[in-house]
Amino acid sequence: HDQHGLAMNLRYRGQTTKAIDAYQRLYSRTKPHQRRTQLENSPHAALFTSRIANSQFRLADCFLYASKLNASSAESTLRDARRHYASLPVHRRGTDEAECLCKLAFVLALSGLPDQGSETLEELAICEKVALTPSQVAAVAPYRQVAEGLIQLANSESDVGRDSLRRVIRQVTASSSRQKLNRDALDLLLLAAVQLIREDVAQKVVGNKLVNDVDLLFQLVPDHFISEETIDYLRPHFDAGLLALLQSNDAPPRQLLRYVFLTVTGKMEIKTDENEDLLVFYRSLSTKAEYVVYRQRNSEIRCFELPVSESGGVGLLPKELTTALSGAARTVAVVWRPGDEEKPDEFPRELPVEYRVLP
């Protein structure tokens, strides 16, 4: 149980590869005990089978909720977990078998196999009748609704699918309160919100509709969950929303600055001196495009796309930005892209400003 907790902690810190290794080690350690207790017809056999199923169930989350879906690994691991859950007495399964079927439907829909996803939901309907209480069916409902929305998107029913995803996000956050969302619900809703935004982009949705959908993504994460420790887990999800806003030029400037700052730093509050300018650099995780958001003396905010540089440096700033910086406040606070090692002296030294790198 403790090792499971440590593996899950790794995933929610964005250390997916280490989490996968930890779950696979747990599986390897537990499997011999399961086989032995089954051969001995031991009363502990169901306990070890439950632990094996749960290990595979959580390992599948690493593949499903990763920054890039690993469909084959997610599908095979979920099918293995479902097989173990199905071998347990009904009273020991809880909602895990049903959620396993829903996640399998997610993977199939996202892999362009909506018919197989629909067949999986038919299996879910049987599972709900045979193995779940009414309250458990209600607990699984958001998973089923997300699966239905993803299947609709895969069937080219874009408007219906996006409406389904918006509806479940709003229903869950309204019923449980955003600040009380548990980690499983957060995983589910982040997946739904990212797929909603990606479909918006594919359908060339712009203006307030796009901005509102990106707001759904950023606003569903509980405040207490956002930190420098969890931002590596959140950043790939936030990146989808940020990239949609940056490419559309539709975002209100202050909102864009807040979202970029949060995605880069894991901090919700921007703390700079009153008369200090601010530069926030961001590199998209998915496209590697470079952006900088510039706030001048707590007032005007502008966003610039930076030229692609083979060295990854920041020496080539747009002329419009260097012109603005030449009239900047004496000090400019700088927020670097995650993982970068550049130093402020890489900025054009001819500009009469001092640079202060924020931690």
Side-chain angles (χ1 to χ4, degrees), residues 67 194 197-198 201 218 234-247 256 259-260 263-264 280-293 303-309 312 314 336-340:
S67 56
V194 167
I197 291 166
R198 287 177 177 166
V201 172
F218 278 91
L234 293 170
R235 190 175 287 124
H237 306 286
F238 288 168
D239 184 68
L242 269 186
L243 193 60
L245 291 181
L246 289 165
Q247 291 178 338
L256 178 62
Y259 289 165
V260 171
T263 302
V264 172
V280 184
F281 287 86
Y282 184 69
R283 176 190 294 149
S284 169
L285 297 177
S286 53
T287 69
K288 306 305 179 186
E290 304 267 359
Y291 299 92
V292 59
V293 181
C303 179
F304 302 89
E305 183 169 0
L306 302 179
V308 177
S309 170
V314 293
W336 291 110
R337 301 165 300 199
D340 277 355

Side-chain angles (χ1 to χ4, degrees), residues 199-235:
E199 185 66 14
D200 281 344
V201 172
Q203 298 299 324
K204 297 181 171 54
V205 174
V206 295
N208 288 336
K209 286 186 177 180
L210 176 63
V211 172
N212 290 340
D213 285 345
V214 174
D215 283 345
L216 281 178
L217 168 67
F218 278 91
Q219 293 175 7
L220 67 85
V221 183
D223 294 346
H224 66 81
F225 192 86
I226 299 173
S227 71
E228 294 175 68
E229 293 183 339
T230 60
I231 194 60
D232 285 341
Y233 158 77
L234 293 170
R235 190 175 287 124

